[in-house]
Amino acid sequence: MTHLKSGIVAVRGARLAALTGTGLVLAACSGAATDDPSVSRAQALESTPVYSYADAIREAVWVETTLDNDGDGKPDKVAVDIVRPRLPAGDTTKVPVILEASPYYSNRGRGNEAELKAYDSSGVIRKMPLYYDNYFVPRGYAFIGVDLAGTNRSTGCLDVGGKEEILATKAVIDWLNGRATARRSNGTAVVADWTTGKVGMIGKSWDGTIANGVAATGVEGLTTIVPIAAISSWYVYVRANGTLRGSNRMSGLATSMSGRPSGVCDAQTRALRTGQEDATGNYNDFYAARDYIPDVSKVRASVFVVHGLNDWNVTPHQFGPWWSALAARNVPRKIWLPQVAHVDPFDFRRTEWVNTLHRWFDHWLLGLDNGIMQEPMAAVERAPGTWVDDAVWPAQGVHTESLPLGIGDGQTGTLGGLPSSTDAPLRTFTDVPSLTEASATSSPNTAKNGRLVFLSQKLSRAIRMSGAAQVKLRIRSNKPTSELTARLVDYGSASRNLSYRSGTDGIVNLTTSSCWGESSSGDDACYTDTKLDVANTDYGVITRGWLDAAHRDSLRNPSSLNSSTWYDVVVPLDVDDAVIDAGHVLGLVLVASDRDLTAPQTTGATIDVDLAASALRLPIVDLGATSVSARAVLAPAEDPALLVAPRIHAPPPADWPDSFDPTATFY
C-alpha cells in the first residue's frame, strides 16, 4: 500500500472502473480504465476516493423517539450530525451509512486526541471527531455521529446502557430506513432519501457497547457492527461475580456525561443509584435490562470484535461470553485480540486496521466480494507487535487440562503436581487488604502474608492457552463471605506490553503524525502516531479473576458461608490468549481482596484450601507438548464451557431461547 499526498490509501496496480447504476468508482481487476458495464460489483476489490470531502453535504437532524425519560411530556429527540457525499447533478446514487453513537462528543471527546464535535455559526457540523468521515465519505459512504440521549444536543436522559440509549439509537436506523421521523432545527420534516438503508455501527468503549445493544434488538438495516473494547453486560462492568469493581459507577457515568440542564435528569440519576445496588453485589432486573447476551438470537448484523487482552477497564470477560453466544448462533464474525489495554486499533496497528476496516465495510455495506470472509477469523498478538492469524477463535485443537494444586515446600505450592501423601493437603491464608498486585505476584518463592502461590516446573516446551481458564477451589472460611482473587502469572524474562503497570494503556505518543483521508478547512485527517509501550520484564500477569464467595452459586441470591463447612467454588478467569515460553514457570497466585482492580468489602477472612479437591483448569493448545509439566494430571476435554469463554457453567445450546435467564446457573 502507498500513501498519496492527500493521506488517502490506494492499492498498487488497481484500475478504476465506473460501475453502471451505482455512482461509485471502485478498484477492480488489472487492466486499463474502462466504463464497461460488464464489470460487476462482485468483481470490484474496494471503494476508492472519488467524492470531494471538502464539498461534502453537512447537516443536522433530530430523530423523534417514543421515549420520554426526562419526564417533560414530550418525546425525546436524538441529535444526528451527518457528513455525506455531494453527488453530481442527476446522480441518484444512494450510499450506506457508518454510524457512531456516543455520549462523549461534547465532553471527553473521541480518540487518542480527545476530539470534540465542532459546529459553524448556523449549528451545522464543521468538525467530526475521528477519521471515519475523512476516510469513508470520499469513498461513497455517509458518516453519522449520534449524540446519545441526554448528551450534547439530544434531549432525554442517559440511562447508561438501558432502553433509552439503545432504542433512541435504534430510532436513527429506523429513520434511515423510512420507519421514523426526523426534523431539522426549524421543525421541517426530513426524509433520508439519499441512503441505501444499510448501516454499520462502530465505536470504542461506551460507543461500541451501544452497537452491541442495538444489534441485540434485531433492527432491520443494521448490517454490521464493529465493537471495540465494548461492554456486553453492564453488570460485568461494575461487578466481578459478586465483587464490587467500583462504587456509583452507573450513576456517576450519567452525571458526568450529562448534557442536560441541572435538575432535569435527577429522577433518572436516582433510579440509576438505586438500581446499581452497590450494597449487595447482586445481579438484578436493573442489570438484566442492560445485558445484551440473552437477546443474541435477534442479532442480524455481522460482528467484528476488537478487545485488548490486558484491558483492565472493560475487561476481556465482556467479549468472551458475547463471542461465544454469537458463535452458537453462527453469526458471521471476525476478531482482533491485541496485548494492549483500552485502546482503539487505529492507535496500535494503524495501517493494517484501516485497510481491514475498509474491506470489512466494503463487503458488508457495499456488497463487494473482496474475500474478507474467506480469510482467517482471528488475529492474535502473541508478543508485542507480533501477530498470528487463526482460522477460528478459540484456537483449533484447544482442550482442557486440569492441573492439581500440590502442597509444595510450605512457602509455594506446586502446580501440576499431586499433593504429597505424607503431608496434609491443606493450605491457609488470611485476607491482607493492603496487599497490592505487584507485591502479591513478585518474588513467588518468598513467603508473604495474604497469598498462596503455586508454581509449575520450568516448561520444557512452550504452551498456548486460548479461551477462559478457571480455578476450582474447595474452601472453608471463618467469615460469612470473602472476595477471592486469582491471578495466572508467566514467570520468566520477556518483552511485554506495559498496558497495566505503566498506566499508558499500552501505547505512547510520538512527535510525528499521519493522515488518513481528506481534510477540509475545519476538519483535518491527520493524527498523532503512536508506538507500543514495551519493556523487558521478569514476569507478567496473564489473566485475573474474582469471586465473592457468597455468590458462588447464584448472583441473584447469595448465601453465606458456614465456618464449619467446606464449599466448592469456581473463580472464572478473564478470557485470554497467551503463549508461555519454554523455560518459563507458570504460576497461580491466590489472595482474598484485590485493592488494585476492585473495591472489595473486606471481611478479614481466614481461608483454608483443600488442595486435593482444587485445580487450575486451562484451555490449552498443544504446541508440541502434551502437558505443562511432567507431573501434570490431564483431564479429558469433557468441559467445552472452558474453551468458549462462558458466562455460565455450560455453553448455550443451539436452541437457546430468547428468554434465557443468565443467572439460572452461575454467571
Side-chain angles (χ1 to χ4, degrees):
M1 299 178 69
T2 58
H3 292 283
L4 305 184
K5 289 184 178 180
S6 64
I8 299 165
V9 178
V11 178
R12 287 195 182 103
R15 71 181 173 91
L16 300 181
L19 302 190
T20 303
T22 68
L24 294 176
V25 176
L26 304 160
C29 305
S30 61
T34 179
D35 292 329
D36 183 356
S38 66
V39 177
S40 68
R41 179 184 293 265
Q43 291 175 289
L45 296 180
E46 67 176 25
S47 59
T48 57
V50 296
Y51 298 107
S52 168
Y53 176 74
D55 196 38
I57 295 173
R58 298 168 181 268
E59 55 190 337
V61 303
W62 280 259
V63 173
E64 297 177 354
T65 76
T66 58
L67 309 165
D68 180 23
N69 83 337
D70 59 10
D72 64 357
K74 303 175 184 178
D76 297 335
K77 299 181 293 184
V78 287
V80 178
D81 292 309
I82 303 167
V83 183
R84 58 185 175 92
R86 186 180 300 277
L87 306 181
D91 190 338
T92 59
T93 296
K94 295 181 184 296
V95 300
V97 171
I98 298 170
L99 185 155
E100 182 171 31
S102 178
Y104 298 125
Y105 283 132
S106 63
N107 40 68
R108 293 186 181 177
R110 303 312 301 128
N112 186 39
E113 297 169 43
E115 291 187 313
L116 302 172
K117 280 184 175 179
Y119 300 91
D120 64 18
S121 59
S122 63
V124 173
I125 189 74
R126 177 173 56 85
K127 178 178 178 60
M128 191 78 80
L130 303 177
Y131 64 98
Y132 301 133
D133 55 323
N134 307 84
Y135 186 85
F136 285 103
V137 169
R139 287 167 166 77
Y141 295 83
F143 180 79
I144 287 181
V146 177
D147 298 329
L148 280 194
T151 68
N152 201 14
R153 303 199 296 179
S154 293
T155 64
C157 297
L158 284 165
D159 61 354
V160 191
K163 71 175 185 178
E164 175 82 14
E165 295 169 16
I166 301 303
L167 296 182
T169 304
K170 173 182 176 291
V172 177
I173 298 174
D174 285 334
W175 170 66
L176 292 168
N177 285 274
R179 301 187 298 266
T181 299
R183 301 184 185 278
R184 302 193 189 280
S185 58
N186 62 7
T188 305
V190 56
V191 176
D193 55 3
W194 43 266
T195 178
T196 63
K198 287 188 174 183
V199 179
M201 290 187 68
I202 191 170
K204 174 194 162 191
S205 198
W206 200 334
D207 307 1
T209 301
I210 299 302
N212 283 343
V214 174
T217 70
V219 60
E220 186 178 352
L222 182 59
T223 305
T224 191
I225 63 171
V226 185
I228 302 166
I231 292 167
S232 62
S233 165
W234 282 89
Y235 178 86
V236 177
Y237 183 68
V238 300
R239 301 281 190 274
N241 300 302
T243 66
L244 188 64
R245 295 193 62 216
S247 59
N248 294 315
R249 277 197 166 190
M250 306 295 277
S251 56
L253 283 170
T255 301
S256 62
M257 295 297 105
S258 178
R260 303 307 309 280
S262 177
V264 169
C265 293
D266 284 356
Q268 180 61 39
T269 302
R270 286 194 296 271
L272 290 170
R273 191 172 294 118
T274 299
Q276 67 194 5
E277 205 173 331
D278 281 352
T280 70
N282 291 350
Y283 184 95
N284 56 23
D285 291 345
F286 172 87
Y287 292 111
R290 292 160 174 80
D291 190 343
Y292 312 128
I293 297 176
D295 287 324
V296 73
S297 64
K298 299 177 184 177
V299 174
R300 300 183 181 189
S302 62
V303 182
F304 188 173
V305 170
V306 181
H307 210 111
L309 293 171
N310 290 305
D311 194 336
W312 51 268
N313 179 359
V314 178
T315 60
H317 192 68
Q318 292 286 0
F319 86 81
W322 175 246
W323 179 262
S324 297
L326 294 170
R329 289 289 178 184
N330 203 30
V331 172
R333 61 202 184 280
K334 189 173 181 67
I335 191 167
W336 275 23
L337 297 175
Q339 292 291 330
V340 295
H342 201 60
V343 183
D344 191 300
F346 186 73
D347 294 314
F348 61 75
R349 203 185 185 200
R350 186 167 295 181
T351 299
E352 295 86 347
W353 171 246
V354 174
N355 179 52
T356 304
L357 184 64
H358 180 187
R359 297 175 64 239
W360 182 264
F361 281 146
D362 274 1
H363 178 76
W364 288 104
L365 298 180
L366 292 178
L368 303 188
D369 186 12
N370 55 21
I372 194 166
M373 296 308 294
Q374 285 72 54
E375 296 172 0
M377 177 185 291
V380 181
E381 189 178 17
R382 289 274 184 88
T386 301
W387 289 76
V388 176
D389 290 335
D390 274 316
V392 297
W393 198 88
Q396 287 180 333
V398 64
H399 59 279
T400 303
E401 289 196 13
S402 185
L403 308 181
L405 307 187
I407 193 69
D409 61 8
Q411 295 183 357
T412 59
T414 58
L415 181 60
L418 291 174
S420 169
S421 59
T422 60
D423 294 315
L426 180 71
R427 297 293 295 273
T428 298
F429 67 103
T430 299
D431 186 13
V432 176
S434 61
L435 189 64
T436 64
E437 177 170 280
S439 180
T441 55
S442 62
S443 304
N445 292 299
T446 301
K448 292 185 180 180
N449 291 333
R451 76 171 185 183
L452 297 181
V453 180
F454 300 89
L455 300 175
S456 75
Q457 295 178 344
K458 285 187 178 181
L459 304 186
S460 59
R461 297 184 182 179
I463 63 167
R464 177 186 177 188
M465 58 171 288
S466 180
Q470 294 178 340
V471 182
K472 178 185 179 296
L473 300 172
R474 178 165 289 174
I475 65 167
R476 182 175 59 190
S477 171
N478 69 344
K479 300 291 184 180
T481 191
S482 176
E483 179 175 344
L484 298 170
T485 302
R487 297 179 178 91
L488 194 61
V489 185
D490 174 7
Y491 289 105
S493 179
S495 177
R496 294 183 172 95
N497 187 283
L498 300 181
S499 52
Y500 171 57
R501 291 200 294 181
S502 70
T504 65
D505 268 359
I507 62 168
V508 292
N509 290 338
L510 301 176
T511 58
T512 59
S513 64
S514 57
C515 304
W516 299 84
E518 296 184 14
S519 299
S520 68
S521 58
D523 191 335
D524 72 88
C526 303
Y527 294 86
T528 300
D529 294 322
T530 65
K531 68 174 182 178
L532 296 176
D533 190 9
V534 175
N536 202 77
T537 63
D538 292 334
Y539 72 94
V541 176
I542 301 171
T543 183
R544 307 167 176 87
W546 305 267
L547 170 73
D548 171 66
H551 289 85
R552 64 196 176 278
D553 297 318
S554 170
L555 291 186
R556 283 188 182 268
N557 300 297
S559 58
S560 297
L561 305 175
N562 186 310
S563 60
S564 62
T565 304
W566 287 92
Y567 297 91
D568 290 322
V569 303
V570 174
V571 182
L573 302 183
D574 265 338
V575 183
D576 211 287
D577 196 295
V579 173
I580 303 96
D581 291 331
H584 286 205
V585 170
L586 184 62
L588 174 65
V589 179
L590 300 178
V591 303
S593 301
D594 178 6
R595 59 171 289 179
D596 291 80
L597 293 176
T598 72
Q601 306 299 307
T602 302
T603 66
T606 294
I607 300 163
D608 298 325
V609 180
D610 179 355
L611 302 184
S614 301
L616 169 65
R617 297 168 173 171
L618 288 179
I620 292 294
V621 182
D622 290 333
L623 295 177
T626 58
S627 64
V628 297
S629 101
R631 296 176 296 157
V633 178
L634 305 185
E638 73 252 5
D639 192 356
L642 298 182
L643 313 183
V644 290
R647 61 202 255 114
I648 56 175
H649 280 195
D655 59 348
W656 194 11
D658 294 349
S659 60
F660 179 77
D661 181 1
T663 61
T665 54
F666 188 81
Y667 194 95

